[in-house]
Amino acid sequence: MNMRATSPRIVVLDTETTGLSPEQGHRIIEIGCVELVNRRLTGNRFHVYINPERAIDDGAIEVHGITNEFLEDKPSFAGVARDFMAFVEGAELVIHNAPFDVGFINHEFALLADPLAPITNYCEVFDTLAFARQKHPGQRNSLDALCKRYGVDNSHRELHGALLDAEILADVYLLMTGGQFSLLDEASEGQSAGMESSVIQRIATDRAPLRVIACAADELDAHQQRLAAIEKAGGVCLWNC
């Protein structure tokens, strides 16, 4: 798993499950994903509820509020696997506590009639929890704690939900990795105008000297009159200091 996401297409992913461990037969009941391209949300989402074909632990229901009755008419994982793979394949997955979600996804892949290889065969994975622990050692790094640290509003998050948590994690990821504060984020605009933000173009030392064009007397007089008018209107003219 990567320690920093690098792909231009990122899918921020979260799941909800029937319990804590696929080794105990627990299954995925919700998948939520949001897409970023070049560190910008595109509005593309993938969200499904899944019938796990088994009962949900009471403790899990207390966390996410999803009941067995609600999932009775939902598709199985096999019924959504093709659409899920079409959405995530080739992207870099951003997941908080990635081993948990990756373990469940791989478990579901293995249960398919035509099993799929582990998700890391199709996608790279960036674990925001591992990154946060490296960036903030000795501090709490739950998603709620990171929201508080980075000023992300999660007041509407009364229960866990895969899509809501993926949306919140996308905001946390962008702030935690610092890219939203960098002018280099505008590289795409600069490149469209023929500029490369990462290349320094040096001026040749043997170039011809720049021409110095002095203003005419009437132009200088008009300029001074304009500065005087600004100073009279505003009190102090900074251009004349």
Side-chain angles (χ1 to χ4, degrees):
M1 295 183 188
N2 292 336
M3 287 304 294
R4 188 172 184 86
T6 57
S7 173
R9 181 173 183 264
I10 290 170
V11 171
V12 185
L13 178 149
D14 188 56
T15 65
E16 299 300 338
T17 64
T18 62
L20 294 177
S21 173
E23 287 76 15
Q24 297 176 2
H26 287 292
R27 306 285 302 273
I28 293 175
I29 59 174
E30 184 186 9
I31 302 174
C33 304
V34 296
E35 180 189 61
L36 295 88
V37 175
N38 294 322
R39 296 181 59 82
R40 286 172 172 79
L41 288 164
T42 66
N44 292 333
R45 301 175 177 180
F46 177 85
H47 181 225
V48 290
Y49 290 103
I50 298 167
N51 185 334
E53 302 172 321
R54 60 150 292 159
I56 306 170
D57 281 2
D58 292 341
I61 295 175
E62 291 178 5
V63 171
H64 49 60
I66 301 172
T67 64
N68 296 292
E69 293 74 22
F70 175 77
L71 298 176
E72 284 179 354
D73 61 346
K74 302 302 184 289
S76 65
F77 185 88
V80 303
R82 184 183 298 272
D83 290 340
F84 172 65
M85 281 300 300
F87 190 85
V88 303
E89 188 170 8
E92 188 157 16
L93 301 181
V94 170
I95 308 172
H96 198 69
N97 191 17
F100 179 88
D101 301 85
V102 167
F104 269 97
I105 292 170
N106 289 342
H107 177 64
E108 295 289 353
F109 282 2
L111 292 175
L112 294 172
D114 186 11
L116 292 171
I119 190 67
T120 49
N121 284 40
Y122 312 101
C123 307
E124 294 184 357
V125 177
F126 172 82
D127 186 356
T128 51
L129 178 58
F131 183 80
R133 285 171 173 168
Q134 184 182 69
K135 188 177 179 69
H136 308 290
Q139 301 184 52
R140 294 180 62 249
N141 290 299
S142 66
L143 185 56
D144 285 337
L146 292 173
C147 285
K148 183 176 181 180
R149 186 171 302 142
Y150 288 98
V152 173
D153 181 14
N154 66 340
S155 57
H156 52 305
R157 184 181 184 246
E158 296 180 2
L159 293 170
H160 287 255
L163 182 60
L164 175 60
D165 285 3
E167 291 171 338
I168 292 172
L169 180 58
D171 289 338
V172 168
Y173 163 76
L174 290 171
L175 291 167
M176 184 167 59
T177 55
Q180 294 304 93
F181 299 105
S182 171
L183 292 177
L184 295 181
D185 258 9
E186 304 305 319
S188 57
E189 284 82 354
Q191 290 168 6
S192 65
M195 298 170 59
E196 291 290 341
S197 62
S198 60
V199 177
I200 299 174
Q201 297 183 350
R202 302 189 183 279
I203 299 174
T205 57
D206 59 349
R207 64 177 173 79
L210 296 175
R211 292 179 59 198
V212 179
I213 302 176
C215 61
D218 59 336
E219 293 173 332
L220 180 59
D221 182 60
H223 178 66
Q224 294 296 338
Q225 290 182 33
R226 181 59 178 166
L227 292 181
I230 294 173
E231 185 173 7
K232 182 177 180 181
V236 177
C237 178
L238 298 179
W239 293 280
N240 206 22
C241 294

